Amino acid sequence: MPKILVVGDLMMDHYIWGSCERISPEAPVQVVLKNSESKRLGGCGNVISNLIALGADTGVISVLGDDETGRQISKLLDECGAKSELVLKERGRKSSQKSRIIVSHQQVLRLDTESVQEITLSDEIIAKFPQILKNYDIVLLSDYAKGVLSQHLCTQIIKITKDASKMVLVDPKGKDYSKYWGATLLTPNRKEASQALNRVLKDDESIKWALKQLKERYGLKYGLITLSEQGIGLYDGRDFSQYEALAKEVFDVTGAGDSVLATLGYCLADGFSISQAIQTANLAAAVVVGKVGSADASWSEINALKSSKNGFLRKIITQNELKHIKNGKKIIFTNGCFDILHFGHISYLEKAKNLGDILVVGLNTDRSIKALKGEQRPINSQNDRAAMLAALECVDFVVLFDDDTPLNLIKELQPDILVKGADYAGKSVVGAEFAGEVRLIEFIEGKSTTNLIKKIQNEC
């Protein structure tokens, strides 16, 4: 297991999920009815979450404010399994929080609370850094320009890490990259590289020029630029290479850069070549941009995407993989046969998704459906039913279960909300004791697989 040390700006990503049905009479703005909210690690915390999802042993160095947000960030670090090697509290500093309001999976507003002045605790970090570094294979610097990674701190961390013959990877910020001199590589995107080098990068020749400039101007081992849908460009001192991104619809680019940094760091620490590391990072980015908000990519998702041209099939996971999907997110679970997918199903699943961050659907196998409904069912095979559910935008994961009830699945997942149909009102719900709460959702009258089958039989 790679041991990776992350140094950078920790933040709180605060999401408020709601719905909107009217415009305010006070001003031309949406009136949002809050359905739920969640808090997760942001900033370099998103790099940490990605590393944890990949299975890395992850340590953290950062500085927070001595405030409630800072205490919540520290708690989230503990809960996700990261080791707070040196997370200092600075009096008078505001811990960073980004509050986002999401309506129908679209961000409509962001409110930031933060301090951006340089920290006053750099010397304390530098003094303790060599001893901490002994326990790690590689260092990742995640710079969000909030004051932690000052010129002095970056210079010293890179020097100490190189002297220890270890790699240091940097996600840079700002126009002046001089403080990153001597790092193994930087991961700017096209726009960031353009600003740093003061030249518009619009074609292959200008990108090659930029890759070479980054490597030579800042004493890097590799020149690297992320190019969005065009993938990642690399200059290793001899050759220029471009690694194509996986062609897929981009839903939300939030956190994709963090996923690239984390995956590159994990792979290089684990002995991958730079070419293998970049190809894997491209896959991780493809997973992440298909999700809402800051997200991470697990090895199961990366491998599924690698082996399938149909990216949505990555959503079909095994029960053993459930433990990798939570990471502080609000999990919604529901289950069913979903034999002939119809509008009633889609409406029900959309409403369930709006209750939280991740919707997991437990799907009865063919055997369990026969036990419940008779030998004539299901109409569609379990693989077809799983693929159709996975193709829905509102469904994040599909898990097949062969038991007569989803009890073991719910026990393993421990969802925040267990969703059932409104016909369960007043009834005992299987697995309720392992869920945070049970929510009931109304079905659309007349919409059911049984009714569809009867209609087809009557018309034949």
Side-chain angles (χ1 to χ4, degrees):
M1 179 188 296
K3 297 181 179 179
I4 301 176
L5 182 61
V6 178
V7 187
D9 301 291
L10 279 169
M11 302 180 195
M12 177 76 79
D13 277 345
H14 176 213
Y15 291 89
I16 298 172
W17 305 86
S19 57
C20 175
E21 296 182 354
R22 62 193 181 97
I23 300 298
S24 172
E26 302 166 359
V29 296
Q30 298 182 63
V31 176
V32 178
L33 177 64
K34 185 173 78 171
N35 295 325
S36 63
E37 64 181 306
S38 61
K39 292 186 177 182
R40 64 183 69 155
L41 293 171
C44 79
N46 197 39
V47 177
I48 293 162
S49 295
N50 274 269
L51 289 170
I52 297 293
L54 292 171
D57 187 349
T58 308
V60 190
I61 294 177
S62 189
V63 175
L64 298 169
D66 187 12
D67 52 23
E68 180 58 29
T69 299
R71 286 184 281 276
Q72 291 179 5
I73 291 172
S74 294
K75 182 180 178 182
L76 288 177
L77 284 173
D78 291 340
E79 289 176 351
C80 78
K83 185 176 182 181
S84 297
E85 290 285 2
L86 194 62
V87 179
L88 303 174
K89 300 293 179 67
E90 183 176 285
R91 292 181 63 84
R93 189 175 188 84
K94 294 180 181 178
S95 299
S96 295
Q97 176 169 293
K98 296 179 180 179
S99 296
R100 300 172 174 91
I101 297 178
I102 312 290
V103 178
S104 298
H105 308 305
Q106 294 293 321
Q107 184 179 154
V108 298
L109 179 69
R110 194 180 95 184
L111 177 66
D112 291 0
T113 303
E114 61 187 14
S115 292
V116 296
Q117 70 271 23
E118 287 190 4
I119 59 172
T120 60
L121 302 170
S122 292
D123 288 337
E124 184 175 345
I125 293 173
I126 292 166
K128 296 179 180 179
F129 184 77
Q131 189 62 34
I132 296 172
L133 180 62
K134 291 179 181 179
N135 300 317
Y136 293 91
D137 304 315
I138 194 169
V139 176
L140 307 184
L141 302 185
S142 178
D143 195 350
Y144 274 77
K146 305 304 180 186
V148 172
L149 289 172
S150 63
Q151 178 92 25
H152 178 49
L153 184 59
C154 281
T155 300
Q156 291 303 308
I157 283 179
I158 292 171
K159 181 181 184 303
I160 294 167
T161 305
K162 286 186 68 179
D163 288 347
S165 299
K166 297 180 180 181
M167 291 181 281
V168 53
L169 280 54
V170 184
D171 188 357
K173 189 69 68 175
K175 297 181 179 180
D176 183 6
Y177 287 0
S178 62
K179 66 179 180 179
Y180 310 125
W181 195 94
T184 304
L185 59 82
L186 311 181
T187 62
N189 59 34
R190 187 198 302 260
K191 180 180 179 181
E192 291 167 338
S194 296
Q195 292 173 339
L197 298 171
N198 197 29
R199 177 175 171 178
V200 176
L201 307 181
K202 59 183 179 180
D203 53 30
D204 289 347
E205 287 307 309
S206 62
I207 289 172
K208 288 180 179 179
W209 173 86
L211 290 166
K212 187 175 182 180
Q213 285 294 308
L214 285 172
K215 182 185 184 309
E216 295 178 353
R217 189 180 298 186
Y218 301 109
L220 311 176
K221 183 174 182 179
Y222 304 107
L224 185 149
I225 300 174
T226 63
L227 301 168
S228 189
E229 69 278 359
Q230 292 180 301
I232 296 176
L234 175 73
Y235 176 59
D236 63 6
R238 294 177 302 176
D239 301 313
F240 294 94
S241 305
Q242 185 166 328
Y243 299 85
E244 293 184 2
L246 183 72
K248 74 186 295 292
E249 182 180 359
V250 175
F251 191 54
D252 189 340
V253 298
T254 305
D258 295 325
S259 295
V260 168
L261 179 66
T263 309
L264 286 174
Y266 184 102
C267 291
L268 292 174
D270 205 35
F272 286 49
S273 68
I274 185 64
S275 176
Q276 292 171 324
I278 290 174
Q279 291 178 65
T280 307
N282 264 338
L283 288 166
V287 171
V288 166
V289 298
K291 301 179 180 181
V292 179
S294 298
D296 45 54
S298 67
W299 280 113
S300 62
E301 293 174 296
I302 291 170
N303 291 332
L305 202 55
K306 185 188 300 183
S307 62
S308 173
K309 293 181 180 179
N310 297 314
F312 64 82
L313 293 181
R314 75 183 191 275
K315 297 180 178 182
I316 304 171
I317 62 174
T318 66
Q319 185 168 333
N320 290 334
E321 293 172 302
L322 287 174
K323 60 190 175 195
H324 297 301
I325 70 173
K326 198 156 189 176
N327 290 330
K329 302 176 181 67
K330 191 171 185 179
I331 305 297
I332 313 303
F333 177 84
T334 192
N335 66 278
C337 301
F338 298 97
D339 192 358
I340 299 177
L341 199 62
H342 53 73
F343 178 67
H345 289 143
I346 295 171
S347 174
Y348 173 83
L349 292 171
E350 285 277 4
K351 291 174 182 176
K353 170 68 175 182
N354 286 334
L355 297 174
D357 301 328
I358 292 179
L359 174 60
V360 180
V361 179
L363 184 65
N364 292 78
T365 61
D366 293 349
R367 187 216 64 80
S368 66
I369 290 179
K370 289 183 186 301
L372 291 170
K373 298 180 178 291
E375 286 298 319
Q376 299 305 310
R377 299 283 297 274
I379 303 300
N380 289 304
S381 71
Q382 61 192 46
N383 291 336
D384 288 349
R385 289 182 288 113
M388 286 188 287
L389 283 172
L392 296 177
E393 187 178 280
C394 61
V395 174
D396 295 292
F397 294 102
V398 179
V399 188
L400 285 158
F401 67 95
D402 196 49
D403 300 327
D404 291 338
T405 75
L407 178 63
N408 290 329
L409 200 58
I410 297 168
K411 184 177 180 180
E412 177 68 32
L413 182 60
Q414 303 273 325
D416 297 287
I417 299 178
L418 174 58
V419 174
K420 299 296 288 185
D423 56 334
Y424 272 81
K427 299 179 183 178
S428 176
V429 176
V430 170
E433 65 271 30
F434 300 112
E437 62 175 308
V438 175
R439 298 282 288 273
L440 304 182
I441 292 178
E442 292 283 349
F443 290 125
I444 296 180
E445 187 176 352
K447 301 293 184 181
S448 74
T449 299
T450 300
N451 286 344
L452 281 173
I453 293 173
K454 288 180 179 178
K455 183 177 180 180
I456 292 169
Q457 290 173 335
N458 290 336
E459 292 181 356
C460 289

